[in-house]
Amino acid sequence: MPGEPLSQKEIEDRLAELPGWTLTTAGTDTTTGTGAGTAAGGGAAPKLTRTYRLASHFAATAVVVHIAQVQEELQHHSELTLGYDTVTLAVSTHSAGGALTDLDFALAGAVEVLAAGHGAL
C-alpha cells in the first residue's frame, strides 16, 4: 500500500530538515517546490534529489552498496547513480503516482546519516 502524498507545506517543512536535498521536476531544481503530487494532475511529479561527493570511486561505490542495503530494508528504492566520485539519488513513490510521501523522506534521512558516516559531502 503506497503512502499518502504529502502536501506542499509538508514537503517544504521536511525539506528544510535535509540540507543539500532539493526538489527537482523534469530535471529542473525547484528547491522550494512547485508541483508536489502533480503527476496525477498532469504535471511533472517532483523528486527529492541529492548528490554526494566522496574521496574516490571506491568510496562512492561503497556508499552505493550501503544505500542499496537501506533501500532493501525500507522496501523503497530510488534512482541511484554512481559517478566517478559522486552518488546521486532521486526519490519519489511510484506506487503513489510519483508523489512524495513519508517513505521518501525516511529514505532520504537514512541516506543522509549513512553518507555522513562515509565522509560524503
Side-chain angles (χ1 to χ4, degrees):
M1 180 171 151
E4 290 296 316
L6 298 173
S7 71
Q8 185 64 36
K9 173 77 168 117
E10 290 171 314
I11 291 169
E12 290 171 4
D13 290 347
R14 292 179 187 204
L15 189 60
E17 298 172 7
L18 290 170
W21 288 82
T22 59
L23 290 180
T24 57
T25 304
T28 303
D29 182 346
T30 59
T31 304
T32 59
T34 58
T38 57
K47 292 187 180 195
L48 189 57
T49 63
R50 172 86 152 90
T51 297
Y52 294 96
R53 182 164 303 279
L54 291 109
S56 67
H57 181 67
F58 186 80
T61 302
V63 168
V64 167
V65 171
H66 201 167
I67 291 170
Q69 180 181 13
V70 169
Q71 290 180 142
E72 284 297 308
E73 291 168 3
L74 292 175
Q75 291 294 300
H76 190 56
H77 303 86
S78 67
E79 294 174 19
L80 185 58
T81 305
L82 172 64
Y84 171 72
D85 63 353
T86 60
V87 174
T88 301
L89 289 91
V91 185
S92 65
T93 302
H94 301 288
S95 60
L100 293 175
T101 67
D102 286 329
L103 201 48
D104 299 310
F105 284 91
L107 177 57
V111 169
E112 198 57 26
V113 170
L114 76 86
H118 283 269
L121 304 173

